[in-house]
Amino acid sequence: MGRSYQIMMLENKVFSCFVFYSVLLVIKMYIIAIITGQVRLRKKAFANPEDALRHGGLQHFREDPDVERCQRAHRNDMENIVPFLFLGAVYSLIGPSLAVARAHFLVFFLFRMLHTLAYLCVLRAPTRSLAYVIAQVPCISMAVQILAAVSSYACSDFIGDRVNL
């Protein structure tokens, strides 16, 4: 059974390309979580009293602007990468050309990387905003193409049901 999934994935080159970039993005999210933890330790700014007590006392049970910046970068990734994972997976199933799909996945990946770099390294505005907007373009494109591919199925049954009433 496992072998058939493996063959199916390898035969769908678009899906394999999507998986490649998706795994890189998930690894990036893990790295940001690790960075957040390291910044917490370095700045001695803990979100939970038990952690603060373990690292010097309740005075370290506090917020810190650098920790908050890491958390915002991570939260922004979750808000944007999770929808990409859904859209990219479904997009892979509607039969786009490999070159176009790769361009969608690559643009999203590169500009999410730039967005994270701009967030964590505090690059000048509007670097982060532009990276965010450009990364949204392939997502919007995939969403429109998915809707175009499935809209006839979604609407035809509904209209057919109304006529049969």
Side-chain angles (χ1 to χ4, degrees):
M1 185 164 142
R3 181 87 175 124
S4 63
Y5 289 114
Q6 193 176 28
I7 290 170
M8 184 177 77
M9 188 171 92
L10 293 175
E11 285 178 358
N12 185 340
K13 291 181 168 69
V14 171
F15 186 72
S16 293
C17 183
F18 163 72
V19 168
F20 175 79
Y21 287 107
S22 294
V23 170
L24 290 178
L25 288 164
V26 169
I27 290 169
K28 179 181 86 70
M29 290 175 67
Y30 281 127
I31 290 170
I32 292 175
I34 292 167
I35 290 170
T36 302
Q38 293 301 309
V39 171
R40 270 193 193 288
L41 288 170
R42 189 178 77 240
K43 300 295 285 265
K44 289 191 171 263
F46 300 98
N48 300 301
E50 63 272 17
D51 297 329
L53 285 171
R54 184 169 184 260
H55 293 279
L58 283 178
Q59 71 272 20
H60 300 299
F61 175 50
R62 63 185 179 85
E63 294 179 353
D64 179 84
D66 294 332
V67 173
E68 290 176 21
R69 176 172 285 277
C70 292
Q71 289 176 316
R72 287 192 305 272
H74 193 246
R75 188 177 319 115
N76 191 278
D77 268 352
M78 290 188 290
E79 292 169 354
N80 290 277
I81 292 173
V82 170
F84 169 80
L85 296 175
F86 170 77
L87 290 171
V90 175
Y91 179 69
S92 298
L93 300 175
I94 66 170
S97 80
L98 178 59
V100 172
R102 183 180 290 129
H104 280 75
F105 305 151
L106 180 62
V107 166
F108 183 81
F109 171 76
L110 290 175
F111 283 92
R112 287 309 303 176
M113 294 297 289
L114 178 59
H115 183 272
T116 297
L117 186 66
Y119 226 135
L120 297 181
C121 297
V122 195
L123 300 183
R124 279 191 349 205
T127 305
R128 190 179 78 242
S129 298
L130 286 173
Y132 171 83
V133 169
I134 294 169
Q136 294 309 302
V137 171
C139 290
I140 293 166
S141 173
M142 289 187 295
V144 168
Q145 291 177 67
I146 291 165
L147 287 173
V150 301
S151 63
S152 63
Y153 301 107
C155 296
S156 65
D157 289 343
F158 176 72
I159 294 168
D161 288 346
R162 298 272 226 142
V163 172
N164 292 334
L165 293 176

